[in-house]
Coordinates of all heavy atoms in Angstrom, one line a residue:
D233 N 2.2 -20.2 9.5 CA 2.9 -18.9 9.8 C 3.4 -18.2 8.5 O 3.3 -17.0 8.3 CB 4.0 -19.1 10.8 CG 3.6 -19.6 12.1 OD1 2.5 -19.2 12.6 OD2 4.4 -20.4 12.7
R234 N 4.1 -19.0 7.7 CA 4.6 -18.4 6.4 C 3.5 -17.9 5.5 O 3.7 -16.8 5.0 CB 5.4 -19.5 5.7 CG 6.6 -20.1 6.4 CD 7.2 -21.2 5.7 NE 8.4 -21.8 6.5 CZ 9.6 -21.3 6.5 NH1 9.9 -20.3 5.7 NH2 10.5 -21.8 7.2
I235 N 2.4 -18.6 5.4 CA 1.3 -18.1 4.6 C 0.7 -16.8 5.2 O 0.4 -15.9 4.5 CB 0.2 -19.2 4.5 CG1 0.7 -20.4 3.8 CG2 -1.1 -18.7 3.9 CD1 -0.2 -21.6 3.8
A236 N 0.6 -16.8 6.5 CA 0.1 -15.6 7.2 C 1.0 -14.4 7.0 O 0.5 -13.3 6.7 CB -0.1 -15.9 8.7
I237 N 2.3 -14.6 7.1 CA 3.2 -13.5 6.8 C 3.0 -12.9 5.4 O 2.9 -11.7 5.2 CB 4.7 -14.0 7.0 CG1 5.0 -14.3 8.5 CG2 5.7 -12.9 6.5 CD1 6.3 -15.0 8.7
D238 N 3.0 -13.8 4.4 CA 2.8 -13.4 3.0 C 1.5 -12.7 2.8 O 1.4 -11.6 2.2 CB 3.0 -14.5 2.1 CG 4.4 -15.0 2.0 OD1 5.3 -14.5 2.7 OD2 4.7 -16.0 1.2
N239 N 0.4 -13.3 3.3 CA -0.9 -12.7 3.1 C -1.0 -11.3 3.8 O -1.6 -10.4 3.2 CB -2.0 -13.6 3.6 CG -2.1 -14.8 2.7 OD1 -1.7 -14.9 1.5 ND2 -2.8 -15.9 3.2
N240 N -0.5 -11.2 5.0 CA -0.6 -9.9 5.7 C 0.2 -8.9 5.0 O -0.2 -7.7 4.9 CB -0.1 -10.1 7.1 CG -1.1 -10.7 8.1 OD1 -2.3 -10.6 7.9 ND2 -0.7 -11.4 9.1
S241 N 1.4 -9.3 4.5 CA 2.3 -8.4 3.8 C 1.6 -7.9 2.5 O 1.7 -6.6 2.2 CB 3.6 -9.0 3.5 OG 4.3 -9.5 4.6
I242 N 1.0 -8.8 1.7 CA 0.4 -8.4 0.5 C -0.8 -7.5 0.8 O -1.0 -6.4 0.1 CB -0.1 -9.6 -0.3 CG1 1.2 -10.4 -0.8 CG2 -1.0 -9.3 -1.5 CD1 0.8 -11.8 -1.4
H243 N -1.6 -7.8 1.8 CA -2.8 -7.0 2.1 C -2.4 -5.6 2.5 O -2.9 -4.6 2.0 CB -3.6 -7.7 3.3 CG -4.7 -6.9 3.7 ND1 -5.9 -6.8 3.0 CD2 -4.9 -6.1 4.8 CE1 -6.7 -6.0 3.7 NE2 -6.1 -5.6 4.8
T244 N -1.4 -5.5 3.4 CA -0.9 -4.2 3.8 C -0.3 -3.4 2.7 O -0.6 -2.2 2.5 CB 0.2 -4.3 4.9 OG1 -0.4 -5.1 6.0 CG2 0.6 -3.0 5.4
T245 N 0.5 -4.0 1.8 CA 1.1 -3.3 0.7 C 0.1 -2.7 -0.3 O 0.3 -1.6 -0.8 CB 2.0 -4.3 -0.1 OG1 3.0 -4.9 0.7 CG2 2.6 -3.7 -1.3
T246 N -1.1 -3.4 -0.5 CA -2.0 -3.0 -1.5 C -3.2 -2.2 -0.9 O -4.1 -1.7 -1.6 CB -2.6 -4.2 -2.2 OG1 -3.1 -5.1 -1.3 CG2 -1.5 -4.9 -3.0
T247 N -3.2 -2.0 0.5 CA -4.4 -1.3 1.1 C -4.0 -0.1 2.0 O -4.9 0.7 2.2 CB -5.2 -2.3 1.9 OG1 -4.4 -2.8 3.0 CG2 -5.8 -3.4 1.0
W248 N -2.8 -0.1 2.5 CA -2.5 1.0 3.5 C -2.8 2.4 3.0 O -3.3 3.3 3.7 CB -1.1 0.9 4.0 CG -0.1 1.4 3.0 CD1 0.6 0.7 2.0 CD2 0.5 2.7 3.0 NE1 1.4 1.6 1.4 CE2 1.4 2.8 1.9 CE3 0.2 3.9 3.7 CZ2 2.1 4.0 1.6 CZ3 0.9 5.1 3.4 CH2 1.8 5.1 2.3
Y249 N -2.5 2.6 1.7 CA -2.7 4.0 1.1 C -4.1 4.3 0.8 O -4.4 5.4 0.4 CB -1.8 4.1 -0.1 CG -2.0 3.0 -1.1 CD1 -3.0 3.1 -2.0 CD2 -1.1 1.9 -1.2 CE1 -3.2 2.1 -3.0 CE2 -1.3 0.9 -2.2 CZ -2.4 1.0 -3.1 OH -2.6 0.1 -4.0
N250 N -5.0 3.3 0.9 CA -6.4 3.6 0.6 C -7.3 3.7 1.9 O -8.5 3.9 1.8 CB -7.0 2.5 -0.3 CG -6.8 2.7 -1.7 OD1 -6.8 3.9 -2.2 ND2 -6.5 1.7 -2.5
I251 N -6.7 3.7 3.1 CA -7.4 3.9 4.3 C -8.0 5.3 4.2 O -7.2 6.3 3.9 CB -6.5 3.7 5.5 CG1 -5.8 2.3 5.5 CG2 -7.2 4.0 6.8 CD1 -6.8 1.2 5.6
P252 N -9.3 5.5 4.5 CA -9.9 6.9 4.3 C -9.1 8.0 4.9 O -9.0 9.1 4.2 CB -11.3 6.7 4.9 CG -11.6 5.2 4.8 CD -10.2 4.5 4.9
E253 N -8.7 7.9 6.1 CA -8.0 9.1 6.8 C -6.6 9.3 6.2 O -6.0 10.4 6.5 CB -7.9 8.9 8.3 CG -7.2 7.6 8.7 CD -8.1 6.5 9.0 OE1 -9.1 6.3 8.2 OE2 -7.9 5.7 9.9
I254 N -6.1 8.4 5.4 CA -4.8 8.5 4.8 C -4.8 8.9 3.3 O -4.0 9.7 2.8 CB -4.0 7.2 5.0 CG1 -3.7 7.0 6.5 CG2 -2.7 7.2 4.2 CD1 -3.1 5.6 6.8
K255 N -5.8 8.3 2.6 CA -5.9 8.4 1.2 C -5.8 9.9 0.7 O -5.1 10.2 -0.3 CB -7.1 7.7 0.7 CG -7.3 7.7 -0.8 CD -8.6 7.0 -1.2 CE -8.8 7.0 -2.7 NZ -10.0 6.2 -3.1
N256 N -6.6 10.8 1.3 CA -6.7 12.1 0.8 C -5.3 12.9 0.8 O -5.2 13.8 0.0 CB -7.7 12.9 1.7 CG -9.1 12.5 1.4 OD1 -9.4 11.9 0.4 ND2 -10.0 12.7 2.4
F257 N -4.4 12.4 1.6 CA -3.1 13.1 1.7 C -2.2 12.6 0.5 O -1.2 13.3 0.2 CB -2.4 12.7 3.0 CG -3.0 13.4 4.2 CD1 -3.7 12.6 5.1 CD2 -2.7 14.7 4.5 CE1 -4.3 13.2 6.2 CE2 -3.3 15.3 5.6 CZ -4.1 14.5 6.5
L258 N -2.6 11.5 -0.2 CA -1.7 10.9 -1.1 C -2.2 11.1 -2.6 O -1.5 10.6 -3.5 CB -1.6 9.4 -0.8 CG -0.9 9.1 0.5 CD1 -1.0 7.6 0.8 CD2 0.5 9.5 0.5
I259 N -3.3 11.7 -2.8 CA -3.8 11.8 -4.2 C -3.2 13.0 -4.9 O -3.2 14.2 -4.3 CB -5.4 12.0 -4.2 CG1 -6.0 10.8 -3.6 CG2 -5.8 12.1 -5.7 CD1 -5.7 9.5 -4.3
F260 N -2.6 12.8 -6.0 CA -2.0 13.9 -6.8 C -2.3 13.6 -8.3 O -1.9 12.5 -8.8 CB -0.5 14.0 -6.6 CG 0.2 15.1 -7.4 CD1 0.0 16.4 -7.0 CD2 0.9 14.8 -8.5 CE1 0.5 17.5 -7.7 CE2 1.5 15.9 -9.2 CZ 1.3 17.2 -8.8
E261 N -2.9 14.5 -9.0 CA -3.3 14.4 -10.4 C -4.1 13.1 -10.6 O -3.8 12.3 -11.5 CB -2.0 14.4 -11.3 CG -1.3 15.7 -11.3 CD -1.9 16.7 -12.2 OE1 -2.3 16.3 -13.3 OE2 -1.9 17.9 -11.8
E262 N -5.0 12.8 -9.6 CA -5.9 11.6 -9.6 C -5.1 10.3 -9.5 O -5.6 9.2 -9.7 CB -6.7 11.6 -10.9 CG -7.5 12.8 -11.2 CD -8.3 12.7 -12.5 OE1 -8.6 11.6 -12.9 OE2 -8.6 13.8 -13.1
I263 N -3.8 10.4 -9.1 CA -3.0 9.2 -8.8 C -2.7 9.1 -7.4 O -2.3 10.0 -6.7 CB -1.7 9.3 -9.6 CG1 -1.9 9.3 -11.1 CG2 -0.8 8.1 -9.3 CD1 -0.7 9.6 -12.0
N264 N -3.0 7.9 -6.8 CA -2.6 7.6 -5.4 C -1.1 7.3 -5.4 O -0.7 6.2 -5.9 CB -3.4 6.5 -4.8 CG -3.3 6.4 -3.3 OD1 -2.2 6.4 -2.8 ND2 -4.4 6.2 -2.6
L265 N -0.3 8.2 -4.8 CA 1.1 8.0 -4.8 C 1.6 6.7 -4.1 O 2.6 6.1 -4.5 CB 1.8 9.2 -4.1 CG 1.5 10.6 -4.7 CD1 2.2 11.7 -3.9 CD2 2.0 10.6 -6.1
G266 N 0.8 6.2 -3.1 CA 1.2 5.0 -2.4 C 1.1 3.8 -3.3 O 1.8 2.8 -3.1
S267 N 0.3 3.8 -4.4 CA 0.1 2.7 -5.3 C 1.3 2.5 -6.2 O 1.5 1.5 -6.8 CB -1.1 2.8 -6.1 OG -1.0 3.9 -7.0
L268 N 2.2 3.5 -6.3 CA 3.3 3.5 -7.3 C 4.5 2.7 -6.8 O 5.3 2.3 -7.6 CB 3.8 5.0 -7.5 CG 2.7 5.9 -8.1 CD1 3.2 7.3 -8.2 CD2 2.3 5.4 -9.5
I269 N 4.6 2.4 -5.5 CA 5.8 1.7 -5.0 C 5.4 0.4 -4.4 O 6.2 -0.1 -3.5 CB 6.6 2.6 -4.0 CG1 5.7 3.1 -2.9 CG2 7.2 3.8 -4.8 CD1 6.5 3.8 -1.8
E270 N 4.4 -0.2 -4.8 CA 3.9 -1.5 -4.2 C 5.0 -2.6 -4.4 O 5.2 -3.4 -3.5 CB 2.6 -2.0 -4.9 CG 1.4 -1.2 -4.5 CD 0.2 -1.8 -5.2 OE1 0.3 -2.4 -6.2 OE2 -0.9 -1.5 -4.7
M271 N 5.6 -2.7 -5.6 CA 6.6 -3.7 -5.8 C 7.7 -3.7 -4.8 O 8.1 -4.8 -4.3 CB 7.2 -3.6 -7.2 CG 8.2 -4.7 -7.6 SD 8.8 -4.6 -9.3 CE 9.7 -3.0 -9.3
E272 N 8.2 -2.6 -4.4 CA 9.3 -2.5 -3.4 C 8.8 -2.6 -2.0 O 9.4 -3.2 -1.2 CB 10.0 -1.2 -3.6 CG 10.8 -1.1 -4.9 CD 11.5 0.2 -5.0 OE1 12.6 0.3 -4.4 OE2 11.0 1.2 -5.7
L273 N 7.6 -2.1 -1.7 CA 7.1 -2.1 -0.4 C 6.7 -3.5 0.1 O 6.8 -3.8 1.3 CB 5.8 -1.2 -0.2 CG 6.1 0.3 -0.1 CD1 4.7 1.0 0.1 CD2 7.0 0.6 1.1
L274 N 6.4 -4.4 -0.9 CA 6.1 -5.8 -0.5 C 7.3 -6.4 0.3 O 7.1 -7.0 1.4 CB 5.8 -6.6 -1.7 CG 5.5 -8.1 -1.4 CD1 4.3 -8.3 -0.4 CD2 5.3 -8.9 -2.6
Q275 N 8.5 -6.2 -0.2 CA 9.7 -6.8 0.4 C 9.9 -6.1 1.8 O 10.3 -6.8 2.8 CB 10.9 -6.6 -0.4 CG 10.8 -7.4 -1.7 CD 12.0 -7.1 -2.7 OE1 13.0 -6.7 -2.2 NE2 11.8 -7.4 -3.9
F276 N 9.6 -4.9 1.9 CA 9.8 -4.1 3.1 C 8.8 -4.7 4.2 O 9.2 -4.9 5.3 CB 9.4 -2.6 2.9 CG 9.6 -1.7 4.1 CD1 10.9 -1.2 4.3 CD2 8.6 -1.4 4.9 CE1 11.0 -0.3 5.4 CE2 8.7 -0.6 6.0 CZ 9.9 0.0 6.2

């Protein structure tokens, strides 16, 4: 269970902002804004 929690959290933290229907809303100056706060979102 502990491994699953960590793996799901890491996967979600590093992929949610790249989902096709979401990604286009987050690109600014060729930077995906969602990728900038990964360190904090992992704990969330």
